[in-house]
Amino acid sequence: MSEDPGPAPLSVDVCIVGGCGRVGLPLGIAFAARGLSVVLYDINADAVATVNAGTLPFAEPGAADVLAEAVSAGRLRATTDPVAVGASEHLVVVVGTPVDEHLNPDLGAVPRALERCAEHLRDGQLVVLRSTVYPGVTALTEKLLAGKGVKADVAFCPERIAEGRAMTELFTLPQIVAARTPAALARAEKLFRHLTEQIVPLEPEEAELAKLFTNTWRYIKFATANQFWMMANDFGLDFARIRHAVAHDYPRAADLPMPGFAAGPCLFKDTMQLAAFNRNNFVLGHSAMLINEGLPLYLVSRLEDRFDLSELTVGILGMAFKGGSDDPRESLAYKLRKILALKTRETICTDPYVADERLVDLDEVLRRADLLVIAAPHEQYARLDTDKPVIDMWGLTGTGVRV
């Protein structure tokens, strides 16, 4: 009888679980661009096929050519087969971590992703959590792996990129690296030094809070700007002029944003995760939610003061959650559409990037609408050729932000 040869050698540098999404794919492309071999494990068969054809399944500036080259060179591939998880030295978990309909965090998103491939996990691997997680999920993952008898190192290294800037920020932003043991910390640091020399070490629970604080801070800043805009607006004053005066050559106010919809898959959700962590005692976070989520209602109420909406066709310009993006997830433009549908003769919507069969071309909106509302500040809307009233809370057109 021949001896058991033991497990097959680890043949891939990095396997990314959830690797064909908007966070995992840019990360995989970045590692491949630095010479690592990468496999992307994803349960979305369509996205896997698209990536293996060397094509991006979504817009991300600067990524398309790098992806095509990495696939062609054999440094990057995608698969729906969980067996790929067992072939990598480094396993990076990138999955969505939503809140439920009651705004409670889903603590099981990361464990479920690991459960799907648990039989292929191997001793000696480094398991890196990249998702934004509720504090304690890193420890929960350590317990999960130990309970399955897997002797793996675990690290939490949160993604910090802004959608649309991944291929720049992955190489320039400092990387937070957190682990329970010096060995795991050293391995995670070595992995991410392929991308950047700026490493910030923390304990896992510190890093979990650091990521939630980061997104919540942005959400609160946007809420502050939106509240200021509403105050100025209610008194007939132009917040854009006031903001310019406040921030002009004055560094302490340089980070005051312009008003606009604060939406997308991260900021609201992570603010609610932080609130849940603090036993729902988070007045600032909940106030920010009321302001930001209430902005479409405020906007419509101002329009009702100025126009007889029941007699008008209103055109909504931009359905993505932010300018220049093709991502409609959690976009408040859709909330605006629902509210206006109850108030107007007709509401029609357009977007140059978002794929949605309910949308129409910009030319049709400009022709049919009596009133236009910029809901996502795509650059195409800065120079509209129209004599229709344009509602622009973003300041995109340079004509003021009063409504």
Side-chain angles (χ1 to χ4, degrees):
M1 181 181 293
S2 61
E3 291 187 11
D4 182 352
L10 301 175
S11 58
V12 178
D13 293 319
V14 182
C15 175
I16 302 179
V17 177
C20 292
R22 292 177 182 267
V23 175
L25 182 53
L27 179 64
I29 294 171
F31 278 134
R34 291 296 169 89
L36 276 65
S37 57
V38 179
V39 61
L40 310 172
Y41 166 55
D42 203 294
I43 60 175
N44 185 334
D46 290 340
V48 165
T50 300
V51 169
N52 282 333
T55 303
L56 278 174
F58 49 81
E60 185 60 56
D65 290 343
V66 188
L67 170 63
E69 193 278 330
V71 171
S72 177
R75 291 195 306 275
L76 184 146
R77 66 182 179 89
T79 182
T80 58
D81 188 351
V83 74
V85 168
S88 67
E89 179 182 354
H90 308 96
L91 185 66
V92 182
V93 181
V94 181
V95 294
T97 53
V99 292
D100 65 19
E101 65 272 22
H102 305 295
L103 304 183
N104 298 313
D106 180 0
L107 303 184
V110 171
R112 281 196 302 273
L114 288 171
E115 288 282 2
R116 280 196 292 268
C117 55
E119 64 182 292
H120 304 290
L121 297 172
R122 300 171 55 155
D123 291 348
Q125 288 181 305
L126 173 67
V127 177
V128 176
L129 307 188
R130 190 75 172 163
S131 306
T132 305
V133 298
Y134 185 83
V137 168
T138 304
L140 187 64
T141 302
E142 292 167 338
K143 293 177 184 177
L144 171 67
L145 296 178
K148 293 184 175 297
V150 178
K151 298 177 181 177
D153 288 322
V154 177
F156 175 61
C157 307
E159 62 88 7
R160 309 181 75 195
I161 59 173
E163 193 175 296
R165 302 177 188 171
M167 300 314 295
T168 299
E169 294 185 346
L170 280 167
F171 302 108
T172 57
L173 291 181
Q175 175 62 55
I176 293 175
V177 172
R180 197 81 56 196
T181 67
L185 189 68
R187 292 182 69 186
E189 179 176 338
K190 182 179 179 181
L191 174 64
F192 282 97
R193 282 196 185 278
H194 287 285
L195 304 182
T196 177
E197 283 299 311
Q198 298 187 79
I199 301 294
V200 182
L202 288 176
E203 294 294 321
E205 288 73 24
E206 292 174 331
E208 289 166 339
L209 274 183
K211 181 56 197 291
L212 292 180
F213 285 170
T214 298
N215 282 356
T216 301
W217 174 237
R218 283 179 58 76
Y219 194 66
I220 290 173
K221 282 203 296 186
F222 291 143
T224 301
N226 286 332
Q227 182 83 85
F228 285 172
W229 172 65
M230 287 186 271
M231 288 180 181
N233 211 45
D234 286 343
F235 283 88
L237 302 173
D238 189 346
F239 174 77
R241 288 171 54 83
I242 300 169
R243 178 188 172 276
H244 172 76
V246 168
H248 182 68
D249 285 342
Y250 194 69
R252 288 188 289 279
D255 63 342
L256 176 61
M258 285 291 284
F261 291 151
C266 296
L267 302 188
F268 166 74
K269 177 261 296 184
D270 291 340
T271 301
M272 293 303 98
Q273 289 206 88
L274 188 58
F277 172 72
N278 202 47
R279 300 176 294 277
N280 278 327
N281 180 22
F282 190 21
V283 173
L284 272 175
H286 287 122
S287 296
M289 175 188 68
L290 294 175
I291 294 167
N292 289 331
E293 289 291 308
L295 194 57
L297 287 163
Y298 172 83
L299 183 59
V300 172
S301 73
R302 292 292 299 182
L303 294 180
E304 287 183 298
D305 290 341
R306 289 180 54 186
F307 305 97
D308 182 0
L309 294 181
S310 66
E311 298 295 323
L312 301 181
T313 293
V314 176
I316 299 179
L317 309 182
M319 303 304 289
F321 82 83
K322 69 175 185 176
S325 172
D326 65 344
D327 190 351
R329 290 180 297 170
E330 311 305 324
S331 171
L332 288 176
Y334 284 89
K335 186 172 185 176
L336 177 65
R337 180 181 64 84
K338 290 180 181 178
I339 300 167
L340 284 173
L342 298 172
K343 306 281 188 179
T344 63
R345 181 176 63 198
E346 185 182 9
T347 300
I348 52 179
C349 308
T350 186
D351 193 291
Y353 308 116
V354 171
D356 185 333
E357 62 184 14
R358 296 170 293 179
L359 306 185
V360 300
D361 291 339
L362 175 60
D363 288 343
E364 181 177 347
V365 172
L366 294 179
R367 176 173 53 82
R368 291 174 52 196
D370 304 299
L371 173 66
L372 302 169
V373 180
I374 299 177
H378 297 318
E379 63 177 13
Q380 292 92 330
Y381 305 146
R383 298 169 298 279
L384 292 170
D385 183 14
T386 181
D387 57 359
K388 312 286 179 64
V390 178
I391 305 303
D392 174 25
M393 62 182 161
W394 310 86
L396 187 66
T397 59
T399 57
V401 297
R402 280 183 293 182
V403 176

